[in-house]
Amino acid sequence: MAGGVDELGSFRKIDVIRDGKVINSIDLYDIFVFGKPSYGSRLKSGDSLFINPAKKIVQIYGGVNREGQYELKGNESLQDLLNFSNGLKYNANGSSLVYEKLEKDTIISNSITIDDLGVIIPNAGDTLFVSEYNYRSVEIIGAVNTPGKYTINAVSYTHL
């Protein structure tokens, strides 16, 4: 009824307040990402929901199934970020990842590997980019033995 959580609000920490006390905290990622069917105790008349401010928003884009900004809890890693984005796309180049970290007034870009994702704990404002292989579709018709549609590497396409 309130129109949802705004861009400053947390999807990961929504407090249920009853009689002036927090009786439960809801993490909506449990429902949205992990498909858990409920969040715990039922709401009662007089309960309040307090949407805490989001603390750590990290971005992922490129060769992932669901690009976007995701809220991470304190100990969640870049691997968790990749999981929230539904993993790598079919054409992702998993050997070409770039992690951009904000440090004061500078953006530091580092090439990392898939194995690094589980050990890097990002900070708010950091970004993970996953490179993609580019493919094109061509159709070959006419006096050929095997006409049809073919998928080729975009680099090969420039040499036709």
Side-chain angles (χ1 to χ4, degrees), residues 115-134:
D115 296 332
D116 296 328
L117 295 179
V119 297
I120 297 174
I121 307 298
N123 294 315
D126 291 355
T127 300
L128 179 63
F129 171 74
V130 180
S131 181
E132 296 178 79
Y133 294 111
N134 291 315

Side-chain angles (χ1 to χ4, degrees), residues 5-43:
V5 178
D6 71 13
E7 68 275 357
L8 300 176
S10 174
F11 283 86
R12 308 294 308 273
K13 188 167 181 358
I14 299 172
D15 293 332
V16 179
I17 301 170
R18 181 174 297 152
D19 299 324
K21 296 178 184 168
V22 175
I23 62 161
N24 192 13
S25 285
I26 303 166
D27 183 344
L28 290 178
Y29 278 27
D30 286 343
I31 299 166
F32 297 154
V33 177
F34 301 114
K36 293 182 181 175
S38 72
Y39 61 85
S41 60
R42 294 190 179 268
L43 296 175

Side-chain angles (χ1 to χ4, degrees), residues 58-61 78 81 98-101 125-129:
V58 181
Q59 181 175 351
I60 186 168
Y61 66 100
L78 290 178
L81 177 67
V98 177
Y99 173 50
E100 293 181 341
K101 185 175 181 70
D126 291 355
T127 300
L128 179 63
F129 171 74

Side-chain angles (χ1 to χ4, degrees), residues 45-58:
S45 179
D47 287 352
S48 297
L49 295 178
F50 178 74
I51 311 299
N52 287 275
K55 294 189 177 168
K56 184 165 48 169
I57 303 295
V58 181

Side-chain angles (χ1 to χ4, degrees), residues 3 15 19 46 54 58 65 71-72 82 125 127 135 145 151 157 160:
D15 293 332
D19 299 324
V58 181
N65 288 310
E71 183 179 356
L72 298 183
L82 179 63
T127 300
Y135 298 106
N145 288 329
T151 301
Y157 182 73
L160 289 177

Side-chain angles (χ1 to χ4, degrees), residues 135-146:
Y135 298 106
R136 300 277 194 267
S137 180
V138 296
E139 184 175 10
I140 300 175
I141 58 174
V144 295
N145 288 329
T146 314

